[in-house]
Amino acid sequence: MKEETKSKIFKLKEQKNAVILAHYYTPSEIQEVADYVGDSFYLAKIAKKSSADMIVFCGVFFMGESAKILNPDKKVLMPDLTADCPMAHMVENGKIEKMRKAYEDLAVVCYINSSAELKCQSDVCVTSSNAINIVKALPNKNIFFIPDKNLGRYVAAQVPEKNIILNDGCCPVHAAITEQALKNEIECHPKALVLSHPECEKEILALSDFVGSTAEIIAYVRQSECDEFIICTEEGVLFKLICENPSKKFYFPKTKPCCTDMKLNTLEKLLDILETEKNAIEIDESVRQKAIKPLDRMLDTVI
Ligand code: 13P
Ligand code: SF4
């Protein structure tokens, strides 16, 4: 049944000149049929460069939305439009305006995991793999980092010359990893290296051997001589980790971090939208023109 669905997906993809992009946190069956699998930064770059007529984004809403902002003339579809990142909205109304009044030279740095509405009010976007370099390169001393306090705090520690003001938002999936759960894993697997995403709480990062985006964690394992790892990020990365390193061992904190929104992407829904072309993302042009500025600034800084 799955094989039949997959072959229909491949056929339709060819016929419609569609490209399928998938985040590492989507189910493995989705990663298997995608043309490109990656972290947020990689997928944003692919979306910008794509020559396909149709972009099918398997991820959460801010990802498809960003692809549409960068490709207004293309059809951008998502298998499930309700797949949303809760963190993408976690900035209190009026907070950005208030901060701009408080600091004359303020730069609002917006993690790409955010709604178009937040991007419209921001100066530059970042992802977890480029945030440090982009913040370092800004001429501004005062930075309001939205929406993720954990990534913001991690960046602040690496760029002490800036005054980074944190916002009270976080990823509920990464923030749910507890220090005790990680300590238990370390006790069970003392030889394993701890690799963590910067969306985790500071206590987790303090116990980690390496901190990086999902793509950086995967690259770290690929080049490491160690063969046991405790992974503090969403469990979807396991698919790629096992494919690339079949003899290495991977452990997660007891309650495996799982993003239920990412898991809304299924093969059946993917096939359905390729057939029907429903679930197209539409963005108001005036919103798009404002939201593209911080995204373009990010892509121009680091491409
Ligand atoms: P990256 O893809 O940038 O590592 O971000 C992780 C994430 O939470 C995506 O939703
Ligand atoms: Fe949002 Fe966290 Fe899910 Fe990523 S893992 S989409 S940041 S809730």
Side-chain angles (χ1 to χ4, degrees):
M1 183 61 192
K2 291 270 182 218
E3 290 315 308
E4 202 182 307
T5 310
K6 281 184 192 169
S7 71
K8 283 185 187 164
I9 289 171
F10 288 130
K11 221 179 191 168
L12 277 166
K13 192 177 73 172
E14 291 287 305
Q15 270 172 20
K16 301 198 174 188
N17 189 26
V19 64
I20 301 177
L21 312 185
H23 192 272
Y24 287 126
Y25 299 169
T26 56
S28 47
E29 60 184 30
I30 293 286
Q31 297 189 45
E32 274 165 6
V33 297
D35 296 294
Y36 299 93
V37 180
D39 69 356
S40 307
F41 183 45
Y42 173 76
L43 295 174
K45 283 192 291 180
I46 297 286
K48 169 128 181 166
K49 283 197 296 206
S50 172
S51 60
D53 297 318
M54 188 189 287
I55 298 174
V56 178
F57 215 120
C58 303
V60 287
F61 192 74
F62 75 80
M63 297 179 173
E65 192 178 47
S66 300
K68 181 66 181 176
I69 291 167
L70 295 166
N71 298 277
D73 301 327
K74 288 186 184 147
K75 218 169 216 180
V76 178
L77 310 174
M78 289 185 65
D80 191 324
L81 284 175
T82 70
D84 195 13
C85 168
M87 182 170 72
H89 312 277
M90 285 186 192
V91 180
E92 207 181 283
N93 256 346
K95 187 76 195 266
I96 296 176
E97 239 177 9
K98 212 154 119 191
M99 297 307 293
R100 287 205 190 271
K101 279 190 190 135
Y103 297 90
E104 217 176 275
D105 76 324
L106 190 80
V108 178
V109 174
C110 181
Y111 190 18
I112 196 168
N113 298 31
S114 57
S115 62
E117 193 191 331
L118 290 180
K119 289 186 177 86
C120 284
Q121 302 172 67
S122 302
D123 297 299
V124 63
C125 283
V126 297
T127 70
S128 50
S129 51
N130 63 31
I132 292 171
N133 288 341
I134 290 187
V135 168
K136 260 189 193 158
L138 285 172
N140 318 57
K141 166 94 176 155
N142 294 303
I143 312 279
F144 183 34
F145 194 99
I146 59 168
D148 185 13
K149 65 175 179 197
N150 289 323
L151 178 62
R153 190 188 302 107
Y154 173 68
V155 172
Q158 316 295 316
V159 193
E161 65 273 24
K162 306 274 181 189
N163 176 35
I164 299 186
I165 305 148
L166 303 179
N167 170 67
D168 192 20
C170 67
C171 161
V173 176
H174 287 85
I177 303 174
T178 66
E179 187 179 7
Q180 193 52 55
L182 176 55
K183 281 184 171 164
N184 292 347
E185 244 16 77
I186 295 173
E187 211 178 298
C188 292
H189 312 288
K191 287 192 191 133
L193 292 177
V194 179
L195 315 182
S196 301
H197 196 283
E199 286 174 17
C200 296
E201 296 286 347
K202 59 180 183 305
E203 294 76 14
I204 302 299
L205 302 189
L207 289 168
S208 302
D209 296 290
F210 175 75
V211 177
S213 73
T214 46
E216 287 167 338
I217 288 174
I218 290 164
Y220 186 95
V221 172
R222 197 182 297 135
Q223 57 72 48
S224 174
E225 277 168 21
C226 182
D227 51 20
E228 280 184 82
F229 304 89
I230 299 167
I231 306 292
C232 295
T233 190
E234 212 273 352
E235 51 104 33
V237 294
L238 193 57
F239 176 70
K240 191 76 173 172
L241 288 172
I242 291 174
C243 284
E244 289 191 357
N245 312 276
S247 63
K248 295 187 179 180
K249 290 201 176 75
F250 302 101
Y251 314 105
F252 285 84
K254 193 168 176 222
T255 314
K256 255 193 200 170
C258 176
C259 178
T260 48
D261 282 274
M262 287 282 187
K263 307 307 179 210
L264 289 172
N265 293 282
T266 64
L267 276 187
E268 293 69 27
K269 291 181 197 169
L270 175 54
L271 175 59
D272 184 41
I273 56 153
L274 278 167
E275 276 169 349
T276 59
E277 299 188 24
K278 67 178 189 194
N279 287 4
I281 296 180
E282 300 298 343
I283 297 179
D284 182 87
E285 185 55 20
S286 64
V287 172
R288 194 192 74 80
Q289 289 206 3
K290 281 190 212 151
I292 199 170
K293 286 185 188 156
L295 273 173
D296 268 345
R297 189 165 172 195
M298 170 184 86
L299 293 166
D300 291 346
T301 311
V302 281
I303 270 180

